[in-house]
Each structure stands twice: as C-alpha cells, then as structure tokens.
Amino acid sequence: MNNTVPPPSTPTHVSRWRIATIVCLILLALAAATGMSMLEQFKAQLSHLQGKLKNTPQIRYIAVLLDDQHRPAQLVTFDPQDGFVQIQRLNDVKEGQEDSLQLWALDDSGRPLSLGVITPRIKTAQLPASDKILSQAAGLAVSVENKGGVEPGQPPRLPYLFSGPLIRKAQ
C-alpha cells in the first residue's frame, strides 16, 4: 500500500485570480501600446498640418482697384508672411512703350507713398511691402508714369488710373 499523500492543491479561486491578473496585465500592455501609437500618429498629423498652414497664404489686406467707370481693374492682396503685395490684373489695360504703372499707398488725407513700379505686361506681379506701411494706408492707387516710375520723393501724375480702398481682413 502506498500511503503517499498527494500534495496540497491550490484552491481554484487563487488560480482564477492569477489568470485574471495575467489577462489584465496583457490588456493593460495592449492599451499602453495603442495609446503610444495614437500619440505618435497625432504628433505626425499635427506636424503635417502646421507645415500646410505655413505654406498657406494668410491674406491680411485686400483691395479691388476700380477704373474710371467703376469696373474692377486690379486685385491687390498682401500676405505678411512673404512680405509682398500681389497685384493681379483684371482688365486688358496695358501700359505704353514709354510708360510704367506705379502702385501707391494713400493715407487718410490722400498723401501718396510709392510701393513700386508694377512689372509690365504680366498678369500677376509682386512688389515688396511691409505690414507697417499698409497698416497706415486707407487706400491704394495706380498711376501712369514715365518709364521706370517717378523719382523717390516725387508725387504721382494725377488723376489715378485705378484706385480703391484698402481693406484689412479680420483675424
């Protein structure tokens, strides 16, 4: 006869707790891995959208310059990120061989400040400008000048060929 006593068995509720603990640890590890993955995806999307936002023009000022019959002649926009006013011709008016079109910023009292000579025979042109200058302007105007524009400090020839109010867009 064999009088060996079997080893004491672990109660079943203890085994169940061990299994439940292991399952919970596995689920917790999966949740942590999923959370980290989602965080990395969020960071990548945020970085991508910030890059797109940097490359998207942030138009701050806009003006539609009208001709003497009050028809749109030029669209002028300003993006402070690139520091240029962009002038788009909306009509077919071309300057003569010995003429230049010159863009002017006009303050509240109508005093002109030259922003530069518009490149001839081009549909969309750019001129360097600053937010500081445009923030003081109430309107923009284009004059016809002798080839190359007026000398610095000289007023434009009047009347203006095109003119219109400068509008600051809401931020």
Side-chain angles (χ1 to χ4, degrees), residues 18 83 101 128 162 165:
R18 284 183 187 157
L101 296 180
F162 311 122

Side-chain angles (χ1 to χ4, degrees), residues 63-67 71-77 85-97 99-103 116-127 142-145 147 161-162:
V64 177
L65 305 185
L66 305 176
D67 63 14
R71 291 182 301 209
Q74 296 194 343
L75 174 66
V76 181
T77 56
V85 289
Q86 187 168 351
I87 305 113
Q88 181 180 356
R89 294 177 190 236
L90 302 176
N91 62 12
D92 294 330
V93 171
K94 304 279 190 238
E95 55 273 40
Q97 293 290 340
D99 295 328
S100 290
L101 296 180
Q102 191 160 354
L103 182 65
V117 175
I118 301 171
T119 306
R121 293 172 186 73
I122 193 167
K123 191 74 173 168
T124 302
Q126 290 184 332
L127 294 173
V142 172
S143 66
V144 178
E145 304 297 339
K147 191 80 170 169
L161 186 60
F162 311 122

Side-chain angles (χ1 to χ4, degrees), residues 31-128:
T34 302
M36 293 302 289
S37 174
M38 290 176 68
L39 180 63
E40 290 302 316
Q41 287 178 2
F42 175 73
K43 285 180 183 177
Q45 285 179 339
L46 186 62
S47 175
H48 173 72
L49 291 174
Q50 285 174 335
K52 282 179 74 173
L53 184 60
K54 265 188 177 174
N55 294 330
T56 302
Q58 303 296 317
I59 304 298
R60 182 165 296 158
Y61 293 96
I62 187 167
V64 177
L65 305 185
L66 305 176
D67 63 14
D68 59 350
Q69 297 175 4
H70 301 288
R71 291 182 301 209
Q74 296 194 343
L75 174 66
V76 181
T77 56
F78 175 71
D79 177 2
Q81 285 182 327
D82 65 11
F84 286 93
V85 289
Q86 187 168 351
I87 305 113
Q88 181 180 356
R89 294 177 190 236
L90 302 176
N91 62 12
D92 294 330
V93 171
K94 304 279 190 238
E95 55 273 40
Q97 293 290 340
E98 298 302 316
D99 295 328
S100 290
L101 296 180
Q102 191 160 354
L103 182 65
W104 301 88
L106 308 174
D107 66 12
D108 288 331
S109 62
R111 286 187 306 254
L113 175 64
S114 176
L115 295 177
V117 175
I118 301 171
T119 306
R121 293 172 186 73
I122 193 167
K123 191 74 173 168
T124 302
Q126 290 184 332
L127 294 173

Side-chain angles (χ1 to χ4, degrees), residues 6-7 30 44 62-63 138-139 151 161 163:
L30 285 173
I62 187 167
E151 296 292 322
L161 186 60
S163 64

